[in-house]
Amino acid sequence: LSRRLFIGSAAGAAMAVLTPAFSAEPIKLRISTPAVEADWHAKMLPVFKQELEKSAPGQFDVEIHLNGTLFKQGTEPAAMQRGNLEMAMISAFDISKQVPEWSIFTSGYLLRSPEHQVKVFESDVGKEMYGLVEDKMAIKVLSVGYLGTRQLNLRTEKEVKTPADLGGVKLRMPGSDTWLFLGKALGANPLPVAFGEIYTALQTGAIDGQDNPLPTVRAAKFYEVSKQIVLTDHLVDAIFLSMSGSAWKKLDDKQKTAVMDAAKAAVRYNNENRIKEEAELADFFKAQGLKVYKPDVEAFRTLVQKTYLESELSKAWPKGMVDRVNAIK
Ligand code: KDO
């Protein structure tokens, strides 16, 4: 109604441009993710929506698309860059395709814990690295969420103590070079498979195993088609709640603050719940009949760190960045 009142009035038209908060049409924010409904990074999206509705009533229309139904896993950054999607939760692996400096965060055994992850991204390191994403990708990172610590989950029974025990093991990884590199660094034979196809691939034996944090192994029910979980702790993984630069630029300052605060609230909800559940899940999987055990983590850490430091990937890491990340306590 308010919009119709502006029609034909020059002053009204100017006002409509200057004060987007009064626009009758809420700003559409479509979020696309491969996450399944029961996982914490999916459950945090309604929190984002509710928080935004509280602080900016009627100004946003948040649409949540799960299970990779709107955009396929890994295609979200390009969709945001083309203006076809407003928001997504992207990984360091997605980012490093366009910003090679970011492959530092795809490296196994660098970040030490969820607390370390938060501190790193709240520090100058985070500011600098987010700046690269804005400059090179025109994507605004709103906040970092803890996806969990990645572990191995196998349908085979052979015990895994060291990287050598993964020789010839067909380990599903998401479909990009940096992900496959991680699988290889662990000693396995990595195969690219989309997240939505893991369950069937485990069930049919197309793959021997996959890696994901324990809350995801529960939420996506991978444990139903697995015999063992090997607690390698190989990657303290992150998901970056992000907005396309073009959508971000259209917001006024108040709306930007509302979006940032809602993102922080959502991520806080994710982190608290995920960390709590992650600590309890080994018992749950054991009760489901799986073997759950720690391998020789030092053997994995030593090999993986060496492999990354000697790789082509590490040549793109900003100078001194590993030391700066390590120095954050
Ligand atoms: C996966 O495909 O293994 C992964 O964990 C990779 C993440 O970057 C992220 O895309 C995640 O899947 C999805 O959000 C589904 O949980």
Side-chain angles (χ1 to χ4, degrees), residues 33-35 39 41 73 91 147 150 172 174 179 195 211-212 239:
T33 173
D39 213 338
H41 57 312
Q73 182 179 34
S91 68
L147 188 68
R150 297 184 83 92
R172 173 274 171 180
W179 277 115
F195 182 81
D211 88 309
N212 252 300
I239 206 89

Side-chain angles (χ1 to χ4, degrees), residues 10-308:
M15 226 178 111
V17 170
L18 288 172
T19 55
F22 291 123
S23 155
E25 289 292 320
I27 298 165
K28 185 160 270 202
L29 297 178
R30 288 165 304 165
I31 312 176
S32 179
T33 173
V36 293
E37 199 178 352
D39 213 338
W40 294 109
H41 57 312
K43 289 193 196 172
M44 80 178 194
L45 297 175
V47 175
F48 174 76
K49 186 180 161 95
Q50 285 151 20
E51 288 296 316
L52 205 49
E53 194 47 40
K54 264 195 247 160
S55 56
Q59 293 179 43
F60 293 95
D61 173 13
V62 177
E63 257 184 26
I64 300 165
H65 298 270
L66 305 178
N67 302 309
T69 45
L70 189 60
F71 285 96
K72 277 196 199 141
Q73 182 179 34
T75 64
E76 303 93 338
M80 287 194 282
Q81 289 169 307
R82 291 197 191 105
N84 294 334
L85 176 67
E86 292 75 39
M87 289 181 66
M89 294 190 279
I90 60 178
S91 68
F93 297 80
D94 293 322
I95 296 171
S96 64
K97 274 190 205 163
Q98 296 183 51
V99 187
E101 290 89 336
W102 264 73
S103 70
I104 188 166
F105 296 124
T106 70
S107 163
Y109 301 105
L110 176 70
L111 297 182
R112 300 186 297 267
S113 64
E115 296 75 27
H116 187 220
Q117 177 181 76
V118 168
K119 284 187 186 162
V120 166
F121 286 103
E122 279 177 354
S123 74
D124 288 349
V125 168
K127 262 185 224 129
E128 209 172 301
M129 298 301 271
Y130 287 159
L132 287 177
V133 181
E134 270 176 57
D135 295 348
K136 296 192 176 185
M137 294 176 78
I139 285 177
K140 170 82 184 167
V141 177
L142 304 174
S143 199
V144 57
Y146 175 54
L147 188 68
T149 300
R150 297 184 83 92
Q151 318 287 1
L152 299 178
N153 137 223
L154 305 171
R155 64 185 289 281
T156 52
E157 297 202 55
K158 193 190 142 204
E159 192 163 295
V160 174
K161 281 286 170 202
T162 65
D165 296 326
L166 286 178
V169 168
K170 287 181 282 173
L171 184 67
R172 173 274 171 180
M173 300 301 286
S176 80
D177 290 349
T178 42
W179 277 115
L180 297 173
F181 188 90
L182 177 60
K184 208 149 192 212
L186 289 164
N189 180 14
L191 283 181
V193 174
F195 182 81
E197 286 155 26
I198 296 176
Y199 189 98
T200 311
L202 281 170
Q203 199 172 33
T204 59
I207 54 173
D208 298 322
Q210 66 96 31
D211 88 309
N212 252 300
L214 299 185
T216 299
V217 174
R218 178 201 54 87
K221 299 196 161 57
F222 298 149
Y223 65 88
E224 291 179 352
V225 280
S226 303
K227 297 241 167 61
Q228 53 167 330
I229 291 177
V230 190
L231 300 169
T232 45
D233 285 343
H234 57 271
L235 182 72
V236 174
D237 205 2
I239 206 89
F240 298 88
L241 184 58
S242 306
M243 187 179 277
S244 84
S246 55
W248 176 251
K249 270 196 239 143
K250 286 185 199 139
L251 306 182
D252 66 25
D253 286 350
K254 271 194 177 162
Q255 290 172 327
K256 282 182 181 163
T257 306
V259 164
M260 275 304 220
D261 289 349
K264 281 196 195 113
V267 156
R268 214 177 306 125
Y269 169 88
N270 167 79
N271 285 21
E272 280 172 19
N273 285 295
R274 192 181 287 281
I275 289 168
K276 184 167 174 284
E277 192 194 32
E278 197 168 39
E280 298 163 357
L281 277 175
D283 287 342
F284 168 78
F285 294 128
K286 282 181 196 161
Q288 300 295 316
L290 277 79
K291 244 170 73 180
V292 183
Y293 60 95
K294 270 211 174 297
D296 180 351
V297 176
E298 269 324 295
F300 278 99
R301 188 192 316 278
T302 307
L303 177 68
V304 169
Q305 288 182 337
K306 181 171 180 292
T307 306
Y308 273 89

